[in-house]
Amino acid sequence: RKPLTFTAHKPAPELILTPEPKVITHNNFYEFGTGKTDPAENSQHLKTEPWTLRVEGEVEKPATVDVWKLMNEIGLEERIYRMRCVEAWSMVIPWVGFELGKFLQRFAPTSRARYVAFETLYDPEQMPGQRNRYVGGGVDYPYVEGLRMDEAMHPLTILSVGLYGKTLPPQNGAPIRLVVPWKYGFKGIKSIVKIKLVERMPPTSWNKLAPQEYGFYANVNPAVDHPRWSQASERFIGPGGLFSVKRQPTLPFNGYGEEVAGLYSGMNLKKFY
Amino acid sequence: MSRSVPGASWRKPLATTLQLGVHLGALLPLLWLFVAINQGRLGGDPVKELIHYLGMGAVRLLLLTLLVSPLAKSLHFGQLNRLRRPLGLWCFAWATLHFLTWLVLDLGLDWSLIGGELVKRTYILLGFSAWLMLLALAITSFPALLKKMGRSWKKLHGLLYIVVLLACWHFWWSVKSGWIEPAVYLGLAIILLAWRRDSVRRWLKSW
């Protein structure tokens, strides 16, 4: 992993960072297996350099971007965000990246762009979960995700290229991934190769697999339980051993309600989960 | 009790060896688990893995327990039945650790949350019912009680047929994605029950 140059911000005092070794060994990246340590074990050979990202669809200037060049040229900043997994555990991670909204402006979105569709690399030779349905947990690949245009343009939404000051390890979605801090972690699609601006709500991987369990919006919401467990609280993975893990209440919009609740005013969030 | 063929003197030591194997086979993975956790080899947050590993072990021990009788019968190897009690008790031990890990490490002994989850999540209720039945079987597993309870002991211990189905069902409903693995275990359970269908039928009639 290479060191990155970025603007740091003063971290919020109430946030305790999840230690780096835990951030990079506890991952969901089913392309490399469904166990939490599988991605760290099986992804190390993933060829992330060179890497291109295609931006297309409802834009006036579609283009293919060299991600490693982009990292040097675009201004990077550190964002320390809470990360809440739909499985009811959470971390606090110092991401390095840039705002998705500002990035998308470069391609001049048309007035018809209402949603943004993302796609992960599809390469069964490098990704054992894509070769074998059993290893990949039955997910249809490539992994796809989506955001509404206003969610994508929100300043909290970033494309991350690093964590803890260095480029991303493959298990965390190298070289470029999405981070939307008020949504469940599975929205943060990894190792992105394509971003397409579209008119209609795009399909999303977990919603296709189990629509009654995972919605398109996937906003962190303590009031809406997952059918198989409560979302009212979460296990925070911080410093310390197995027995020091504490349960803490889950915050609406993962604590970012002040900034983002307005995006959903008038919407029934129990229905649009 | 033993239906071994006279002169087959190797059967008893073989059964004893297998019994030792059961104890080691069920204990060593737990010791490994203890060491691996302390060394941080199970990753940043092994709670979910731990719960899954212990649950899977309990189901495997359960299937092995059910394998013993029909195997002993068809091999005319009555001594083999000595494996049933240790297998059953180890199954209970693994299931208890599975349950405790969920209570203590996952839910952090938050009793209102635990109560809510037990009532609201059918798959947890299924698993909990299976554990309660195993508890009843473990408590009454002493040979002295077997004599004292007579026919009602058999009636009670036939609950294992229900436990294995509940456990597989619990597994099926608990997984996030991928039904193949739970389907394989349920299939094995059904095969084992079908193999001893006469005993199952008799047990059902006894109620």
Side-chain angles (χ1 to χ4, degrees):
Chain A
R1 291 169 59 198
K2 296 171 187 164
L4 291 165
T5 311
F6 54 90
T7 315
H9 298 289
K10 223 174 157 182
E14 77 275 12
L15 293 182
I16 297 164
L17 294 186
T18 301
E20 188 175 2
K22 293 188 183 182
V23 176
I24 64 173
T25 56
H26 186 79
N27 308 95
N28 278 321
F29 199 168
Y30 278 22
E31 281 84 340
F32 296 103
T34 57
K36 292 290 179 284
T37 51
D38 289 348
E41 279 162 27
N42 303 333
S43 71
Q44 296 315 311
H45 63 274
L46 178 69
K47 199 167 176 285
T48 57
E49 226 172 330
W51 193 279
T52 55
L53 169 61
R54 176 77 190 159
V55 184
E56 60 181 38
E58 292 298 339
V59 288
E60 275 159 32
K61 295 185 251 173
T64 302
V65 179
D66 178 330
V67 169
W68 291 90
K69 256 193 204 155
L70 178 75
M71 268 185 231
N72 293 321
E73 161 254 311
I74 203 167
L76 296 176
E77 59 176 312
E78 182 169 61
R79 294 277 179 100
I80 298 173
Y81 281 158
R82 279 182 282 268
M83 209 286 293
R84 169 62 154 83
C85 179
V86 74
E87 299 162 346
W89 52 266
S90 68
M91 294 183 177
V92 171
I93 303 171
W95 300 107
V96 179
F98 52 88
E99 286 178 21
L100 172 66
K102 284 185 191 159
F103 175 67
L104 288 180
Q105 294 294 6
R106 296 179 168 202
F107 307 91
T110 72
S111 57
R112 280 204 298 252
R114 292 188 53 225
Y115 292 91
V116 185
F118 302 84
E119 199 174 300
T120 296
L121 175 71
Y122 182 75
D123 187 350
E125 270 185 33
Q126 293 199 78
M127 296 174 151
Q130 294 179 341
R131 281 201 299 275
N132 180 320
R133 230 184 130 67
Y134 177 72
V135 176
V139 175
D140 269 331
Y141 294 107
Y143 194 92
V144 288
E145 256 308 334
L147 292 173
R148 220 167 54 188
M149 200 61 191
D150 56 346
E151 297 174 326
M153 301 311 284
H154 195 280
L156 283 179
T157 305
I158 60 165
L159 284 177
S160 165
V161 294
L163 58 85
Y164 270 100
K166 286 170 282 177
T167 52
L168 293 170
Q171 61 270 29
N172 292 79
I176 190 161
R177 62 162 297 163
L178 180 68
V179 178
V180 194
W182 71 92
K183 291 177 180 285
Y184 291 120
F186 69 85
K187 292 297 284 184
I189 183 169
K190 293 170 165 163
S191 305
I192 306 170
V193 292
K194 194 165 94 181
I195 297 180
K196 189 174 183 181
L197 278 65
V198 291
E199 269 190 274
R200 286 164 196 242
M201 185 181 278
T204 57
S205 286
W206 279 100
N207 179 251
K208 280 195 286 181
L209 190 73
Q212 71 288 357
E213 301 190 358
Y214 312 101
F216 174 83
Y217 286 95
N219 291 320
V220 176
N221 191 342
V224 177
D225 279 354
H226 184 280
R228 286 179 283 123
W229 57 83
S230 165
Q231 296 290 31
S233 60
E234 66 205 32
R235 294 172 42 259
F236 174 64
I237 302 170
L242 185 59
F243 292 91
S244 60
V245 173
K246 288 276 175 301
R247 264 199 111 82
Q248 63 188 25
T250 291
L251 304 168
F253 297 107
N254 203 22
Y256 300 96
E258 236 173 80
E259 291 97 323
V260 302
L263 296 174
Y264 310 100
S265 54
M267 269 176 78
N268 178 355
L269 295 178
K270 281 203 158 75
K271 194 174 163 216
F272 298 102
Y273 54 94
Chain B
M1 276 276 281
S2 165
R3 293 222 261 127
S4 15
V5 186
S9 56
W10 51 270
R11 287 175 186 256
K12 207 176 167 186
L14 178 61
T16 309
T17 312
L18 285 172
Q19 215 172 11
L20 188 69
V22 166
H23 286 300
L24 286 177
L27 180 67
L28 290 180
L30 291 179
L31 293 179
W32 173 83
L33 209 55
F34 186 74
V35 174
I37 290 168
N38 275 317
Q39 292 182 344
R41 278 170 52 187
L42 295 185
D45 178 49
V47 172
K48 283 269 143 67
E49 247 75 8
L50 207 53
I51 292 175
H52 187 65
Y53 185 87
L54 291 165
M56 292 306 306
V59 170
R60 284 174 197 152
L61 286 162
L62 192 54
L63 292 176
L64 280 176
T65 313
L66 281 168
L67 177 68
V68 173
S69 300
L71 202 62
K73 210 172 181 179
S74 54
L75 293 177
H76 302 292
F77 188 0
Q79 289 277 344
L80 214 52
N81 281 321
R82 279 165 52 200
L83 301 180
R84 276 190 306 193
R85 187 162 169 262
L87 276 171
L89 284 172
W90 274 115
C91 167
F92 172 68
W94 278 67
T96 304
L97 287 171
H98 167 73
F99 184 42
L100 281 176
T101 309
W102 178 72
L103 284 181
V104 180
L105 296 181
D106 193 358
L107 298 196
L109 283 182
D110 177 340
W111 291 105
S112 67
L113 180 63
I114 291 165
E117 293 293 273
L118 274 177
V119 183
K120 277 192 269 183
R121 322 286 166 205
T122 319
Y123 83 98
I124 290 176
L125 195 61
L126 290 173
F128 182 59
S129 320
W131 180 79
L132 283 180
M133 290 181 198
L134 279 178
L135 175 68
L137 303 196
I139 291 172
T140 56
S141 71
F142 300 98
L145 267 178
L146 165 65
K147 279 201 191 105
K148 214 170 177 182
M149 290 172 69
R151 283 175 63 170
S152 58
W153 191 92
K154 274 209 137 168
K155 200 167 157 180
L156 181 67
H157 281 246
L159 280 178
L160 204 62
Y161 308 144
I162 307 291
V163 172
V164 73
L165 293 176
L166 286 177
C168 290
W169 193 1
H170 165 73
F171 180 24
W172 195 307
W173 277 4
S174 73
V175 292
K176 190 172 161 192
S177 69
W179 50 270
I180 300 168
E181 205 182 356
V184 167
Y185 281 90
L186 184 62
L188 287 174
I190 290 170
I191 289 169
L192 284 173
L193 291 181
W195 193 5
R196 51 163 65 197
R197 55 190 173 278
D198 292 340
S199 313
V200 176
R201 214 172 283 142
R202 242 176 289 132
W203 176 74
L204 282 173
K205 272 188 192 148
S206 75
W207 282 86

